[in-house]
Amino acid sequence: MPSFLTAALYKFVELPDYAALQAPLLACCEAQGVKGTLLLAAEGINGTIAGPEAGVRAVLTYLRSDARLAALEHKEAWADHLPFYRMKVRLKREIVTMGVPEVHPALMAGEYVKPENWNALLAEPGVVLVDTRNDYEVSIGTFEGAINPATSSFSELPAWVEREMLEGGRLAPVDGKKPRVAMFCTGGIRCEKSTALMRSKGFDEVYHLEGGILKYLETVPEVQSRWQGECFVFDERVSVGHGLKPGDFTLCRSCRDPLSDADRASPLYELGVSCPHCHGKTTEEQKAGYRERQRQVELAEKRQAAHIGVRQPGA
């Protein structure tokens, strides 16, 4: 059985004293041999940690000892190798950056829809379905009929919403009434904040997929699924399919985009250096640096040692 437990977690909750939580939380993680990254902000906590099962569960217990985090939920996965090499607890303005200070997900988020009820919602007439993830994530899989805002970062979503609310836009009122909107993301955090944004814009009927795409793929049988393709994930798996089975994509270590078999067969692909998405966007000097990094990675693998210079997916 794999020996390392990974726990992904987030919770929107008012934490005005978040800065004071940093040092004790870091000390707890280090004492338990846990690695990863946790983000603290006035709006809550977000991150992924990994380590020995007892250590990870001790950190989760420590977090839930704070009454404000007592209902904190997490998602688990197992790994043969520790996926992180350091432990970081960072202070941020937002746990997921949108750049709209007046949006408070802990108070304003839309209505949760459980995965087993998601298909029924999407079948209802007049529901506008929005994928809140970035374009490179949407490119490898999404729900049938979903709108892709074609953003390169989550902070671009508010401007897209403003444009689509104008006359003729996909979020524009129909007969004076704003449409019903359903939003989704990988694990729930971005769509929870997105629905809060929509409510701040006057949308009354806003829904988001509880647990995100990952919970849907875990819960809904493939024969009943409205999901098409694979789901990008921010860990060493890169992508997953129905039943959360590892997918066929790998990661470009230069631009961080997911790569298909066709991408890896391209003459523009060079392991650790470039891919069809980024080959023309980096200089020869940068490529030379990436080649040296890849050489060091391969040397470390031969020595069966970790190369801590390699950034993890999503880092």
Side-chain angles (χ1 to χ4, degrees):
M1 181 177 177
S3 53
F4 295 104
L5 176 63
T6 297
L9 58 96
Y10 82 89
K11 184 172 180 61
F12 285 109
V13 61
E14 299 294 309
L15 295 177
D17 59 339
Y18 70 98
L21 306 178
Q22 181 185 30
L25 178 54
L26 178 61
C28 175
C29 293
E30 292 179 337
Q32 297 295 335
V34 168
K35 311 293 185 184
T37 300
L38 292 172
L39 307 180
L40 292 170
E43 68 178 10
I45 185 171
N46 178 29
T48 304
I49 55 175
E53 180 181 4
V56 171
R57 298 206 185 282
V59 172
L60 294 172
T61 298
Y62 172 81
L63 287 170
R64 292 178 179 127
S65 68
D66 185 321
R68 297 167 297 183
L69 300 175
L72 176 71
E73 296 183 359
H74 71 279
K75 296 182 178 70
E76 294 186 0
W78 291 90
D80 293 315
H81 306 285
L82 192 61
F84 307 108
Y85 301 117
R86 303 179 181 90
M87 184 65 224
K88 295 173 284 188
V89 180
R90 293 177 171 171
L91 303 180
K92 305 283 284 187
R93 290 183 180 178
E94 303 173 72
I95 58 172
V96 56
T97 303
M98 176 181 277
V100 185
E102 62 269 24
V103 170
H104 300 284
L107 306 173
M108 303 163 61
E111 183 178 338
Y112 287 109
V113 178
K114 293 189 177 298
E116 55 267 32
N117 299 326
W118 186 246
N119 289 354
L121 172 65
L122 301 192
E124 294 180 12
V127 175
V128 179
L129 180 62
V130 180
D131 193 329
T132 68
R133 300 172 302 152
N134 296 329
D135 195 45
Y136 70 91
E137 299 170 79
V138 181
S139 69
I140 71 170
T142 191
F143 281 107
E144 176 186 351
I147 296 171
N148 175 13
T151 56
S152 59
S153 69
F154 187 57
S155 59
E156 295 176 5
L157 189 66
W160 178 84
V161 169
E162 290 286 349
R163 291 193 300 272
E164 294 297 327
M165 288 175 62
L166 299 175
E167 185 176 355
R170 288 167 286 189
L171 297 173
V174 177
D175 296 328
K177 181 177 175 60
K178 289 183 171 66
R180 301 168 71 202
V181 179
M183 311 184 94
F184 63 93
C185 62
T186 307
I189 185 170
R190 282 179 284 184
C191 50
E192 194 163 334
K193 195 161 190 177
S194 299
T195 57
L197 171 71
M198 300 304 291
R199 291 191 64 194
S200 77
K201 300 291 184 184
F203 289 79
D204 296 323
E205 295 183 80
V206 189
Y207 310 91
H208 55 95
L209 177 57
E210 185 173 357
I213 301 162
L214 295 179
K215 193 64 178 178
Y216 181 92
L217 293 177
E218 181 183 3
T219 305
V220 177
E222 186 171 358
V223 293
Q224 300 173 13
S225 176
R226 295 188 60 162
W227 178 261
Q228 300 174 330
E230 296 181 14
C231 177
F232 181 87
V233 290
F234 296 91
D235 59 41
E236 68 281 354
R237 294 172 296 176
V238 182
S239 69
V240 296
H242 289 91
L244 300 184
K245 295 177 182 177
D248 297 324
F249 286 79
T250 59
L251 198 70
C252 175
R253 295 292 173 178
S254 175
C255 68
R256 321 298 296 165
D257 275 8
L259 303 177
S260 65
D261 289 340
D263 291 327
R264 294 191 293 272
S266 168
L268 300 180
Y269 173 68
E270 183 178 347
L271 179 62
V273 178
S274 67
C275 74
H277 308 293
C278 68
H279 184 272
K281 300 177 183 178
T282 55
T283 66
E284 286 305 314
E285 183 179 4
Q286 287 174 313
K287 288 183 177 69
Y290 297 151
R291 288 188 185 99
E292 175 57 24
R293 179 184 63 184
Q294 182 61 27
R295 189 179 75 86
Q296 294 296 330
V297 169
E298 291 171 2
L299 288 173
E301 288 176 348
K302 289 179 180 178
R303 296 194 303 268
Q304 295 185 324
H307 181 250
I308 63 173
V310 176
R311 295 171 60 200
Q312 297 302 303

